[in-house]
Amino acid sequence: MSDDAPDTTSTRGPLTSTLQIGRETRKQVRASSGRRIAGRAAGWVLRIFVVLLVLEIISKFLTADAMRWDVVGEYLFTPKVLDGVVLTLVLTAVAMILGCVIGLILALMKISQSLLLNVAADGYIWLFRGTPLLVQLLFWYNLASFLPTLSIGIPFGPQFVELDTNTVITSMVAAMLGLGLNEGAYMSEIIRAGIQSVDQGQSEAAAALGMSRRRAMRRIVLPQAMRVIVPPTGNQVISMLKGTSLVSIVAISELLYTVQVIYARNFQTIPLLVVACIWYLFLTTVLSIGQHYIELHYARGATRSVPDTYLVKLRKLLVRSTPRTIAPQETTRP
């Protein structure tokens, strides 16, 4: 381009530039609104597809020929099934208490300054978290074949107390040991993460007030760590409730073993499994609701918020969809 060519850009006035910017802005607004409408349409298509898929699955499940709902209603509240439900809850409670106690001890060992305690805690976690729970249950159940007697005494020396293994390690004890010791390995990492999530300044402030490390841990650190510990612990409780079904391998009459014994006699396999599923779903739902309110209790004063329940979400949706009428303001004349 020669130097004598007119510069068109310099001849544009401010009004021309403003009109061009306005046209570009309107194009961008139309493009963004089009994308927004397409996104909303795709969202509604996806919602309709999910609803239709769920309805199809429910219809297949309810109308199947093998589904005998009269058998489900007959065995849902039988005394044997209710006894299995109670035993499932007992196993869950005992295993979680044992796991929480072991997990707290291991967590304190891991954050201590002792190398020996660190190695011992890491070895325990490595062993019990690295082997399947079913294998551990079978090991404790068959411990008598490995150690016919359990003794307490001096290593490689005289033994002071000797007990028969079959007498001490019954099926119930084997189930509790297998579930509780395995859970302790997982709870140790949860508790350790919760303790280390508390700011170091809290411990320093407690030390400045003259508190001992034990008292500061009990009164200052652990209450704040519960905000981090409670959510995964609730998940572990629910997982433990379902994991108790594995103890049926050692002939414990919990919920799954009970329905297995029943359908082995009447050959109503699917209806009896549905009975077990209904009870598991009911218990996990109750535990989930309890977990939500425990989280609300420990989240007081924290910046993070606990997710709303479905009732709260429905209430907010109804309030949002209700049209608001603005009352006319009265003007006062002087």
Side-chain angles (χ1 to χ4, degrees):
M1 180 182 294
S2 62
D3 296 338
D4 297 336
D7 189 2
T8 58
T9 59
S10 61
T11 59
R12 293 175 182 174
L15 180 59
T16 305
S17 302
T18 304
L19 290 175
Q20 290 180 350
I21 294 174
R23 294 193 191 99
E24 294 176 358
T25 304
R26 285 194 294 271
K27 291 180 180 179
Q28 294 176 356
V29 169
R30 284 195 294 268
S32 62
S33 62
R35 287 194 297 267
R36 192 181 303 112
I37 294 172
R40 290 179 179 177
W44 278 108
V45 170
L46 181 60
R47 292 186 182 97
I48 294 173
F49 174 75
V50 171
V51 170
L52 292 177
L53 180 62
V54 172
L55 292 177
E56 179 66 18
I57 294 174
I58 293 175
S59 65
K60 295 294 184 184
F61 182 76
L62 294 178
T63 60
D65 296 334
M67 181 55 62
R68 297 279 306 278
W69 290 105
D70 55 338
V71 178
V72 173
E74 179 183 355
Y75 287 97
L76 189 59
F77 296 103
T78 56
K80 290 184 179 180
V81 173
L82 293 179
D83 291 341
V85 171
V86 172
L87 187 55
T88 297
L89 292 175
V90 171
L91 285 172
T92 302
V94 173
M96 284 306 304
I97 292 173
L98 182 60
C100 289
V101 172
I102 295 175
L104 178 60
I105 296 173
L106 292 175
L108 296 177
M109 291 171 63
K110 287 203 66 174
I111 64 177
S112 67
Q113 302 298 325
S114 173
L115 179 62
L116 179 61
L117 295 180
N118 293 339
V119 171
D122 287 332
Y124 181 98
I125 296 170
W126 169 77
L127 177 62
F128 285 93
R129 201 170 58 175
T131 53
L133 177 57
L134 185 60
V135 175
Q136 297 176 29
L137 289 170
L138 292 174
F139 176 81
W140 290 111
Y141 183 69
N142 297 284
L143 185 63
S145 61
F146 174 63
L147 292 175
T149 58
L150 298 175
S151 58
I152 300 175
I154 300 175
F156 305 103
Q159 304 297 311
F160 305 121
V161 178
E162 291 188 358
L163 299 172
D164 182 47
T165 304
N166 285 324
T167 305
V168 177
I169 308 297
T170 60
S171 298
M172 181 64 67
V173 175
M176 291 179 180
L177 286 176
L179 296 174
L181 295 178
N182 180 267
E183 186 62 28
Y186 292 92
M187 286 302 303
S188 65
E189 292 298 305
I190 294 174
I191 297 175
R192 178 191 60 81
I195 292 175
Q196 292 182 341
S197 68
V198 180
D199 189 75
Q200 184 65 26
Q202 301 291 326
S203 300
E204 295 174 357
L209 293 175
M211 290 187 179
S212 62
R213 292 186 61 183
R214 182 180 303 176
R215 188 178 182 185
M217 178 64 68
R218 187 178 70 253
R219 301 291 298 274
I220 305 297
V221 177
L222 284 180
Q224 298 183 63
M226 292 299 291
R227 298 170 182 169
V228 180
I229 294 174
V230 166
T233 302
N235 294 333
Q236 290 298 115
V237 173
I238 295 174
S239 178
M240 177 61 68
L241 176 69
K242 297 178 294 184
T244 54
S245 60
L246 293 176
V247 303
S248 61
I249 198 68
V250 294
I252 298 294
S253 298
E254 45 78 46
L255 179 57
L256 180 61
Y257 185 82
T258 302
V259 299
Q260 285 177 332
V261 171
I262 296 175
Y263 72 64
R265 293 198 306 262
N266 60 11
F267 303 104
Q268 298 292 337
T269 305
I270 299 299
L272 267 300
L273 290 177
V274 170
V275 169
C277 291
I278 290 174
W279 276 112
Y280 281 124
L281 289 172
F282 172 75
L283 295 176
T284 53
T285 302
V286 173
L287 291 176
S288 300
I289 295 173
Q291 175 188 353
H292 174 77
Y293 286 103
I294 293 175
E295 288 186 34
L296 282 178
H297 173 75
Y298 284 104
R300 292 181 301 179
T303 55
R304 70 176 182 89
S305 59
V306 180
D308 295 331
T309 60
Y310 284 108
L311 293 177
V312 176
K313 292 179 180 179
L314 180 61
R315 192 181 302 115
K316 289 182 178 180
L317 181 62
L318 293 176
V319 171
R320 190 186 311 163
S321 61
T322 303
R324 297 181 179 179
T325 58
I326 302 176
Q329 297 181 355
E330 296 181 357
T331 57
T332 57
R333 296 181 178 180

